[in-house]
Structures are given as C-alpha cells and as structure tokens.
Amino acid sequence: MTAFEAILADVQSEQIAASLEYSGSGVSDVCVYGSIEDGSTVFDVFYIVDRRVVDRNDLQGVDTSAIRQLALLRHGMNQLDRLVEACTQFSRPVPTELKLHYSGSNKSLDSVFEYEPRLSGDASLHPNDLVEAWRAEVQTELDAEAE
C-alpha cells in the first residue's frame, strides 16, 4: 500500500467509524457523502435501519442533539480536508464527490469517487440536493430488493 493509499484508507475509516459511533447500535449500514468543489466542502451521513433510509437527526434511541451532529459533521469535513491535502501532496486529482457505503452485516465498504464537476455551472444546484438524490436512490434500491 502506498502512502497515499494509506491516507485514503484512513480517511474513509475515520468517517465510517465516527458515523457508527454517532449512531449507536441498531444501524445496519452507513452511507457517507462528501463533496469537494469550488472551494466548498460538504460532509453528510445517513443510515439504513430496518431497510429504511434514516437521516442522522432522525435516529431513534441516540443523542441527536445539534452539538453531536455538528461534531460529527466537523470531523467528517476535517477528514475531507485531509484527503485534499493528500491529493495535493501526492499530485493526485481531488475528487469532487465521494460516496461511501459501509455494510455492517458483511463488514464491507463500497467507495465511489467522482472527479467531474457536479455543481459548477448550475447555480440552482446545492450539495444538499446531491445528498438528497443519493438518499432517494438508496431507498429506491432497498424498496426494489424487498419486492
């Protein structure tokens, strides 16, 4: 494993670990979203509980206070900053978008990195729109699997 790959693996591991710690027990999957584009960095997370997509603020049985949510989001954004620093240091392209899906049942991580601009050129599009679209896509997949 190269030094860059080690940093990339650690960034992903940190984001998933912090998201799992935040959620407590009962969560089967964690979905982490990151956007790095036009000087803006966005991090968000949602969960799969009983085959339903659940936002971080809607988890049951855990402290979802604004203070805890802000701490999670800051940690995730700090990890994205580490990723940007590593890409710069090792002359690698910086992804504009990342999607991590950790499955607790089989302890696997699927990572998708995009490098084409997603937000540039469309002033009406916000990173939250992309997070919402992914949430809807994941829920649609879950519904289709249940049929």
Side-chain angles (χ1 to χ4, degrees):
M1 180 181 293
T2 67
F4 175 76
E5 290 168 338
I7 293 169
L8 178 61
D10 188 59
V11 163
Q12 293 177 85
S13 177
E14 282 287 325
Q15 290 176 328
I16 295 299
S19 298
L20 282 170
E21 181 181 324
Y22 173 87
S23 70
S25 61
V27 169
S28 60
D29 292 43
V30 176
C31 298
V32 168
Y33 180 85
S35 173
I36 308 164
E37 192 172 348
D38 293 337
S40 175
T41 303
V42 174
F43 172 88
D44 207 346
V45 59
F46 58 92
Y47 300 90
I48 299 174
V49 179
D50 297 328
R51 305 197 55 74
R52 302 296 309 160
V53 170
V54 179
D55 291 334
R56 63 184 146 72
N57 56 318
D58 293 329
L59 286 171
Q60 299 297 309
V62 297
D63 177 6
T64 59
S65 65
I67 291 172
R68 266 193 97 223
Q69 288 187 52
L70 186 57
L72 174 63
L73 297 177
R74 280 189 181 146
H75 182 75
M77 289 178 45
N78 287 341
Q79 295 307 311
L80 291 175
D81 290 342
R82 280 184 61 211
L83 176 59
V84 171
E85 290 170 10
C87 289
T88 302
Q89 177 184 353
F90 293 100
S91 300
R92 301 287 184 107
V94 176
T96 55
E97 181 181 64
L98 64 91
K99 296 177 182 177
L100 308 178
H101 178 187
Y102 176 76
S103 171
S105 60
N106 59 13
K107 309 257 187 277
S108 66
L109 177 67
D110 292 322
S111 305
V112 176
F113 294 86
E114 297 292 338
Y115 294 89
E116 296 298 319
R118 306 273 295 155
L119 301 170
S120 301
D122 188 345
S124 67
L125 194 59
H126 187 273
N128 287 340
D129 298 330
L130 300 175
V131 176
E132 290 301 323
W134 189 34
R135 281 185 184 114
E137 177 185 327
V138 170
Q139 187 61 61
T140 299
E141 291 172 6
L142 290 168
D143 292 344
E145 290 172 6
E147 293 176 357

